Amino acid sequence: MPGAALEVAGLEVAYGSVPVLRGIDLRVDSGSFVALLGASGCGKTTLLRAISGFVQVNAGRVLANGRDITHQPPDKRGMAMVFQSYALWPHMTTAQNIGYGLKLRGQSRDAIAKRVNEILAMLKLQGLGERMVTQLSGGQRQRVALGRALAINPDILLLDEPLSNLDARIREEVRHEIKALQQKLGITAIHVTHDREEAMVMADRIVVMDAGNIAQQGAPEDVYNRPVSAFVAGFMGAGNAIRLEARPSGNGLRIAAGPDNSAADVTKPALGPGIDASYAGPVIAHFRSEAAILSAASDAPDGALVLRGRIAQASYPGGHYRYGVSVGDLNVIVDSGQRLNVGAAVGVRLPVEALHLFPADGRANQQSFKQAS
């Protein structure tokens, strides 16, 4: 197992009397790429700034390669930060910005010039060294900000939503470039983002945060396929949720038929924390829009859970149609290649392996913080 480049233990941060981080425990292995993922206000940026030394901690410790840096200033932590706003010097050229940290460290002109040229080539910025950064595109400026951070050979690279100011096409291009560079250099990276796809594409490990806690952490496929709470399921794309009644049946649960749904047998892999084969009572089933299959309302369930409803809305985001389907008092989103008319009666067929079931009383959410690690 790789050594830990960073360890956070019992970290607490408050702004005045308002707690922001509530006892965070986190390990980042050397050479790994970790994404801190969550909505605005969840504490992810505060955690990054506490790691970097820009925010004072109230309790807990931060260790870098086994060295306690909890109270060290930012420039003594062996880290470099890439900011959302780029934070480049507008009166400097591209080369001067990239070499700025080396100049502060007292390196010679020749050493700085050599390293800057290496970074320019690495980031495909050849020929732009003498150009003022104000004359660069957004994608080029982001590469300069990344180059300035990499120039000092940091032990840990910190990225604070660095792609949020870029348009969609450039953002996709740069995210792959950053990941490729991180793998090539073997550097440890911690990346803050609210974009689920960005975290999935770039990170080896995702840390989902909610209200100052770690709700779940793990490999992207684990967090995506095995969410430990309704919150994580919804945040990771399984935003459709419907209330059902369940009772024990063999090694799983039997979903009872209702006015808007068929009966179905659900096996253990779909059962979230707080539910086992002895559970009886209401559950909330989460599922993704792309996991559902639209069929005629009269089709037999064929072992799947089928919801009965009508098309209430239709749109074409590209490559497929997106429907809002009214199921009783609820509206669920379903993607389909079929073109259907608003008002059409449909069945929403859900393979049981596409379901994430949690107790309707919210017990899974209450337990998730304990199970997140």
Side-chain angles (χ1 to χ4, degrees), residues 36-278:
L36 305 180
L37 176 65
S40 297
C42 72
K44 60 187 186 298
T45 296
T46 297
L47 176 55
L48 193 76
R49 293 178 68 82
I51 290 169
S52 65
F54 290 109
V55 166
Q56 184 175 353
V57 305
N58 297 86
R61 296 196 305 160
V62 180
L63 288 82
N65 295 309
R67 179 171 63 99
D68 192 333
I69 60 169
T70 309
H71 302 294
Q72 290 288 313
D75 61 330
K76 303 296 184 184
R77 297 190 175 212
M79 303 177 185
M81 176 91 83
V82 179
F83 296 94
Q84 178 180 349
S85 60
Y86 313 145
L88 300 174
W89 295 107
H91 62 286
M92 292 184 182
T93 65
T94 295
Q96 289 170 333
N97 267 283
I98 291 175
Y100 183 72
L102 300 172
K103 182 178 179 181
L104 289 180
R105 285 161 174 76
Q107 295 200 15
S108 68
R109 280 190 185 179
D110 289 345
I112 292 173
K114 180 181 178 182
R115 181 60 175 160
V116 167
N117 285 332
E118 290 174 354
I119 296 294
L120 288 171
M122 185 188 301
L123 297 175
K124 303 175 184 176
L125 293 170
Q126 301 99 317
L128 299 178
E130 299 308 310
R131 187 173 297 184
M132 302 300 289
V133 292
T134 53
Q135 299 174 319
L136 301 179
S137 68
Q140 290 169 336
R141 291 186 197 186
Q142 191 56 74
R143 290 184 179 93
V144 174
L146 178 61
R148 181 181 58 188
L150 293 174
I152 64 172
N153 287 314
D155 295 325
I156 300 174
L157 178 65
L158 306 177
L159 302 139
D160 185 10
E161 301 205 54
L163 309 182
S164 60
N165 289 332
L166 304 178
D167 64 50
R169 183 182 64 82
I170 299 299
R171 185 165 62 244
E172 185 171 342
E173 179 181 323
V174 175
R175 71 168 57 142
H176 285 286
E177 289 178 358
I178 291 176
K179 177 62 176 177
L181 272 173
Q182 181 267 335
Q183 291 178 323
K184 178 182 177 181
L185 299 173
I187 196 170
T188 304
I190 305 173
H191 177 81
V192 163
T193 182
H194 62 272
D195 187 317
R196 181 183 76 249
E197 181 181 340
E198 186 170 292
M200 294 286 291
V201 168
M202 298 179 73
D204 310 312
R205 189 172 184 84
I206 292 177
V207 178
V208 181
M209 296 191 64
D210 178 36
N213 294 285
I214 293 177
Q216 185 173 353
Q217 57 181 302
E221 55 269 32
D222 289 336
V223 177
Y224 186 85
N225 292 318
R226 289 175 287 279
V228 301
S229 70
F231 168 79
V232 176
F235 198 86
M236 296 305 293
N240 290 314
I242 187 163
R243 186 183 178 100
L244 302 165
E245 288 293 328
R247 63 176 184 269
S249 176
N251 293 323
L253 295 179
R254 176 74 170 172
I255 301 298
D260 302 304
N261 67 276
S262 70
D265 290 309
V266 181
T267 53
K268 186 171 174 48
L271 306 183
I275 295 183
D276 58 25
S278 65

